[in-house]
Amino acid sequence: MKTKKKWMTTMMAGGLALVVTACGSGDANNGGQSSANANNAPAPVEAAKVVESTEPITIQYWHSHAEAQMEGLNYMLEEFSKKYPHITVEPVFQGGYPDLHKKLQAAVAANDVPAVTNVEVSSLPTFGDSGVFTDLTPWILRDNTAMDDFSEGMINAYAFNGKQYGFPLIVSTSVFVYNKTLLDELGVQPPQTWDDIDAFNEAVTLKENGETTRYAFSVPGWDAWYFDPWMINGGGQILTDDQSASAVETPESMRYIENFYKWKTDGYMHIGYGKGASDNMRQMFLGGEIAMVQHTSANIKMYRENADFEIGVSFVPGDVKRISNIGGAGIAMMDGASDEEKEAAWKFIEHMTSAEHNIKWAESVGYLPTRKSAIDSEEGKQYFERWPQYEAVFEHFDDVTPRLQHIAYPEFRTHYIEVIGELALNNVDPATLMPQAAERINEILADYE
Amino acid sequence: MNNNNKQELKLAASTRTPVSVRNWRTALEKWKDFMFALPAIALLAVFLYYPLVNSFYISLTNWNMTRPVKKFVGIDNYTYLLGHEDFYQSLKITFTYTIMDVVLTLAIGLLLALLFNVSSRFYAFMRGIVFMPYYISMVIAAMVFVWIYNGKYGLLNRVVAMFGIDPVEWLINPSTVLPALVVVSVWKGVGFAMILFIAGLRSIPADYYEAAAIDGANRWMLFRHITLPLLSPMTLFLVITTFISSMQVFQSIDIMTNGGPLNASNAVVYWIYTMAFSQFRTGRASALIMIFFVIILLLTALQWFISRKKVHYEG
């Protein structure tokens, strides 16, 4: 018993020592950082210095490229090593975007970061705001990177608070994929405006004994990325102009969801929600139960390969506006990397997003080209001949806009997604729930101030 | 004292170690126990105590894991959580899941133990079959169950259709999602409970049953008054271990539901995960870790105190 007590004392003393050390080290870090910040008064951005070195260097590239994209990545890496033989890029697959972001957080906390990484577009503000990514403006200025050659929306999606934290790499947007064979048979065109939707619904929906056996169209309810554009196209917005309060409950912002409620209740529209909803929607479309689905453009290839009918693609219908949001991931440089690594990283970023390889890269990974010059090139024309489905997207090249950029967006969007969820699962009138969602959003916004 | 003894004393005096070495040895002797345990303590300190203490420190800040500055916010994270309905909702989900999981795992485990507690090859084979899911990683099991539960092409709906029941979206319906998750956990854990119950059953001396049978006890009375009380140490062990693992349910939720639909399966540990890694609220997530740690600690202690009077140790 006595020994046990002694043990306890020893362990508690050890524990206490650790408390002191833990708090001590934390305070020291904080102190160091804040004084450093105090000394760094905002200065105009200057072009980066040229670091011409052919010393061999190895940098890591953390990515989320799935198996299907690896062939394209390997080609790009080979081309890069031909151009810069002294730079070795080690690609490290870190899982999907949530896994990659988690590992980035841990790497930053451990102060052991890769030089280059992918970042999912909606998380860029959070990482940028925390100082995880380097502002690329000095290199852009130094090398006169042709920023206007990129789609405006795509490049802006990777800037935050006036700093260019990354470049668009694997870009997608949501589009309507439709059963062209069926629509041709029925003699209807996919709706281009909201006004066209009612007639489209009437012509395409099939009902038996009051039960819908074929829905006219489906909008995913599991991710705000799909219905945020509907809100904006209806004249609404997620936050007020100064981003200080919710705007999801305003009459303009509610127009789309009230339409959804009407179309769904009348049996014309399908809304997918919950785990596996994406698979279900795909199966229903391929099985002829839905005539048109809103999905990511990254899936066009998959639909074309799996459907036993002809696939058509249409840009999302518009009303007050006609936009669609950018999705996918970009490429960014980590601020914790050394100067030599940063120089190598910049060269790699430039190579991965260059106009020269833009079409080849886009086609091999199934994402969209980002460069105007590449699209207008001979190679670009051949690409559209092979993939006429993408034309609908590129007719609206500059209407693919960034998602809402706010550091709390990943947190507060869950509340209005739930309203769609209640509509999808329980057919609850959104008008009764949206004010509560707005309240929760305002609560979160207040917390960030 | 005889001559021999005197000689031994003289010898001892001549070979006596110097004072400093003796002190050192005494000191070493005194710390011997501690030194033997030092490697274990060091491991615990690095991987358990330090993270725990550091989590507590982080819980008092607004850190998001990427920001270099940890701003001290006092008990703000705690007051936010304790004053928020989401916290109580998540606790309620966790407790509902845990109660269903513990009761079903133990009840079915005990039933199977009573059924398969027979020494024969066939029963050994049957025990092996029931125990098998315990070997399977939860990730794989959960992925298989996602397919079984799928509303459109899942196996389960094919089976229920044979009984004329309409297809159910098991993982997309808020009222069926928790039972669906519990079934996976019970399916995986019931074999382990069964094996431990069988071990417990076999350690009960046959004499008790014989004596009671002579006194005219029927099978129910034997079970109620001999088997159950003497299985109580094993039951306590299983209640505590299943309780703790159920309270910490994460993997199956991560793979099968992502906390949904409509937060219906947003158990505490999964919520901690999304809070820290999707919503970048590391400080608040750490506060939730601390609160949850205290809750589990208190409940485990409570189980132990209550059961002290009810658990019968053989001999």
Side-chain angles (χ1 to χ4, degrees):
Chain A
M1 194 64 198
K2 212 174 174 184
T3 339
K4 205 175 175 185
K5 263 192 181 167
K6 229 193 282 174
W7 264 99
M8 295 285 277
T9 324
T10 321
M11 276 161 63
M12 280 169 74
L16 205 69
L18 283 167
V19 179
V20 176
T21 335
C23 298
S25 65
D27 290 339
N29 288 343
N30 298 352
Q33 185 61 38
S34 42
S35 63
N37 282 348
N39 292 337
N40 284 348
V45 182
E46 286 174 15
K49 284 183 188 137
V50 181
V51 185
E52 279 309 335
S53 161
T54 47
E55 283 288 306
I57 186 167
T58 302
I59 55 167
Q60 280 201 344
Y61 168 46
W62 284 15
H63 67 83
S64 286
H65 301 303
E67 193 57 41
Q69 300 173 11
M70 284 313 287
E71 202 188 314
L73 178 64
N74 288 335
Y75 165 79
M76 293 297 276
L77 289 173
E78 271 169 36
E79 290 297 309
F80 184 71
S81 65
K82 278 183 208 161
K83 200 169 170 190
Y84 300 105
H86 65 287
I87 304 173
T88 311
V89 179
E90 271 179 14
V92 184
F93 177 66
Q94 296 289 20
Y97 303 133
D99 285 339
L100 170 72
H101 293 168
K102 214 162 55 191
K103 288 170 188 172
L104 278 180
Q105 280 173 281
V108 171
N111 210 7
D112 183 12
V113 296
V116 196
T117 180
N118 284 163
V119 59
E120 191 275 321
V121 63
S122 71
S123 297
L124 182 105
T126 313
F127 283 110
D129 186 63
S130 300
V132 171
F133 296 148
T134 309
D135 178 13
L136 299 171
T137 314
W139 285 273
I140 294 167
L141 289 174
R142 186 191 75 185
D143 294 353
N144 288 326
T145 310
M147 300 299 275
D148 53 0
D149 191 35
F150 287 93
S151 137
E152 198 185 332
M154 292 180 191
I155 197 77
N156 286 344
Y158 290 93
F160 182 63
N161 282 346
K163 291 176 179 170
Q164 193 71 39
Y165 286 116
F167 279 82
L169 183 69
I170 42 174
V171 175
S172 57
T173 188
S174 75
V175 289
F176 266 117
V177 176
Y178 61 91
N179 183 335
K180 191 168 184 308
T181 314
L182 174 77
L183 295 200
D184 285 351
E185 263 172 35
L186 297 171
V188 283
Q189 292 292 319
Q192 301 301 306
T193 66
W194 287 17
D195 292 337
D196 299 340
I197 294 177
D198 282 331
F200 178 80
N201 285 344
E202 283 296 335
V204 177
T205 308
L206 265 190
K207 291 184 184 175
E208 272 173 33
N209 306 324
E211 290 277 316
T212 306
T213 52
R214 182 174 70 212
Y215 291 96
F217 70 107
S218 177
V219 173
W222 61 81
D223 190 340
W225 184 60
Y226 290 103
F227 49 83
D228 280 352
W230 284 86
M231 191 193 302
I232 294 158
N233 290 341
Q237 50 194 31
I238 304 162
L239 297 182
T240 52
D241 287 335
D242 61 356
Q243 297 206 334
S244 65
S246 160
V248 291
E249 75 286 17
T250 59
E252 296 78 23
S253 296
M254 289 291 289
R255 282 188 62 222
Y256 84 99
I257 203 168
E258 278 162 359
N259 276 321
F260 280 11
Y261 181 51
K262 188 181 76 192
W263 293 326
K264 185 179 176 292
T265 313
D266 294 344
Y268 297 125
M269 180 193 186
H270 169 268
I271 302 177
Y273 187 77
K275 190 84 175 182
S278 174
D279 281 348
N280 283 349
M281 186 180 84
R282 194 173 58 199
Q283 291 296 335
M284 287 171 79
F285 174 71
L286 294 174
E289 289 172 73
I290 305 173
M292 181 170 87
V293 290
Q294 188 183 357
H295 222 169
T296 163
S297 60
N299 277 346
I300 294 176
K301 194 175 168 190
M302 179 278 297
Y303 280 117
R304 210 173 82 158
E305 283 166 2
N306 288 288
D308 51 13
F309 45 81
E310 198 183 338
I311 292 289
V313 173
S314 177
F315 201 69
V316 289
D319 192 57
V320 178
K321 285 182 185 172
R322 194 174 185 195
I323 60 107
S324 182
N325 278 166
I326 181 175
I331 186 164
M333 187 195 289
M334 298 293 284
D335 201 47
S338 69
D339 286 348
E340 293 76 21
E341 285 174 332
K342 281 181 180 168
E343 185 58 38
W346 167 248
K347 289 190 163 76
F348 184 62
I349 291 172
E350 238 190 345
H351 170 77
M352 290 295 282
T353 56
S354 66
E356 187 190 346
H357 300 290
N358 204 236
I359 297 288
K360 171 111 182 155
W361 168 248
E363 194 169 8
S364 63
V365 294
Y367 282 78
L368 305 175
T370 54
R371 296 276 207 155
K372 290 172 188 163
S373 60
I375 291 165
D376 295 337
S377 69
E378 190 52 39
E379 198 188 1
K381 280 178 195 132
Q382 288 166 8
Y383 164 79
F384 284 116
E385 273 166 27
R386 287 192 295 275
W387 292 93
Q389 285 86 359
Y390 283 114
E391 262 174 313
V393 183
F394 286 97
E395 281 166 14
H396 296 271
F397 196 53
D398 282 326
D399 302 327
V400 177
T401 61
R403 300 178 78 169
L404 173 70
Q405 287 192 317
H406 192 284
I407 51 172
Y409 178 59
E411 183 177 356
F412 70 66
R413 68 179 170 209
T414 53
H415 293 296
Y416 66 93
I417 294 177
E418 270 173 36
V419 179
I420 288 269
E422 284 285 1
L423 168 61
L425 299 182
N426 306 321
N427 214 34
V428 180
D429 184 352
T432 59
L433 295 178
M434 204 56 101
Q436 292 164 29
E439 233 170 78
R440 299 294 300 270
I441 293 170
N442 286 332
E443 213 177 274
I444 292 167
L445 290 172
D447 203 32
Y448 268 90
E449 274 167 10
Chain B
M1 197 177 273
N2 59 29
N3 277 348
N4 275 355
N5 277 351
K6 276 180 190 167
Q7 271 173 358
E8 273 174 25
L9 270 177
K10 271 184 193 168
L11 199 70
S14 65
T15 58
R16 189 169 286 166
T17 45
V19 178
S20 62
V21 175
R22 204 174 59 214
N23 283 350
W24 186 75
R25 275 196 188 161
T26 324
L28 200 67
E29 192 67 25
K30 211 171 143 190
W31 287 94
K32 192 175 71 185
D33 296 350
F34 178 73
M35 296 304 250
F36 277 126
L38 196 62
I41 293 179
L43 274 178
L44 283 175
V46 172
F47 293 108
L48 198 68
Y49 304 135
Y50 174 70
L52 196 65
V53 169
N54 205 24
S55 290
F56 176 64
Y57 167 63
I58 294 168
S59 76
L60 303 174
T61 70
N62 73 344
W63 197 39
N64 74 352
M65 226 170 145
T66 51
R67 214 177 283 146
V69 182
K70 296 187 186 88
K71 189 181 155 204
F72 188 77
V73 294
I75 57 164
D76 279 9
N77 288 326
Y78 291 90
T79 47
Y80 175 89
L81 287 167
L82 295 173
H84 227 271
E85 62 174 312
D86 289 359
F87 171 71
Y88 299 98
Q89 181 62 21
S90 183
L91 264 193
K92 191 179 146 200
I93 290 164
T94 313
F95 280 122
T96 314
Y97 173 88
T98 302
I99 292 166
M100 286 197 281
D101 192 28
V102 171
V103 169
L104 287 174
T105 305
L106 265 69
I108 300 173
L110 179 60
L111 208 69
L112 290 171
L114 293 169
L115 202 66
F116 293 146
N117 185 19
V118 180
S119 296
S120 84
R121 279 193 176 184
F122 173 72
Y123 283 100
F125 175 72
M126 290 304 289
R127 287 197 295 270
I129 295 280
V130 175
F131 192 70
M132 215 182 276
Y134 190 72
Y135 295 127
I136 300 172
S137 118
M138 181 47 110
V139 176
I140 294 166
M143 287 170 96
V144 172
F145 271 91
V146 165
W147 169 72
I148 292 174
Y149 286 138
N150 186 288
K152 288 270 164 228
Y153 45 89
L155 187 68
L156 186 57
N157 276 342
R158 292 278 167 89
V159 175
V160 299
M162 290 177 196
F163 300 96
I165 300 169
D166 285 337
V168 179
E169 288 279 7
W170 302 96
L171 296 178
I172 299 182
N173 188 331
S175 59
T176 54
V177 68
L178 269 193
L181 286 167
V182 169
V183 165
V184 183
S185 172
V186 171
W187 172 78
K188 242 182 89 57
V190 79
F192 182 69
M194 174 193 74
I195 293 292
L196 287 189
F197 273 131
I198 288 177
L201 286 173
R202 291 191 178 173
S203 67
I204 301 173
D207 310 8
Y208 295 162
Y209 291 105
E210 283 165 19
I214 290 166
D215 287 343
N218 60 25
R219 287 186 75 165
W220 167 247
M221 288 156 88
L222 291 179
F223 176 73
R224 169 75 188 79
H225 297 291
I226 298 175
T227 310
L228 267 191
L230 290 179
L231 267 186
S232 53
M234 198 55 90
T235 314
L236 173 68
F237 171 77
L238 278 169
V239 166
I240 292 182
T241 51
T242 317
F243 170 81
I244 293 175
S245 69
S246 305
M247 289 288 280
Q248 297 175 348
V249 57
F250 172 78
Q251 278 181 330
S252 53
I253 294 178
D254 187 35
I255 290 166
M256 296 169 69
T257 69
N258 291 137
L262 302 173
N263 287 330
S265 62
N266 195 21
V268 176
V269 176
Y270 187 76
W271 193 31
I272 291 172
Y273 167 79
T274 45
M275 207 186 274
F277 296 108
S278 306
Q279 302 174 352
F280 303 98
R281 295 263 195 188
T282 316
R284 190 173 290 163
S286 299
L288 186 52
I289 290 171
M290 288 296 134
I291 298 172
F292 198 52
F293 170 71
V294 172
I295 291 173
I296 295 189
L297 193 72
L298 289 178
L299 286 173
T300 311
L302 187 72
Q303 284 172 18
W304 188 73
F305 277 118
I306 292 172
S307 55
R308 256 202 326 184
K309 290 181 187 152
K310 300 277 181 193
V311 173
H312 303 267
Y313 289 94
E314 233 288 337

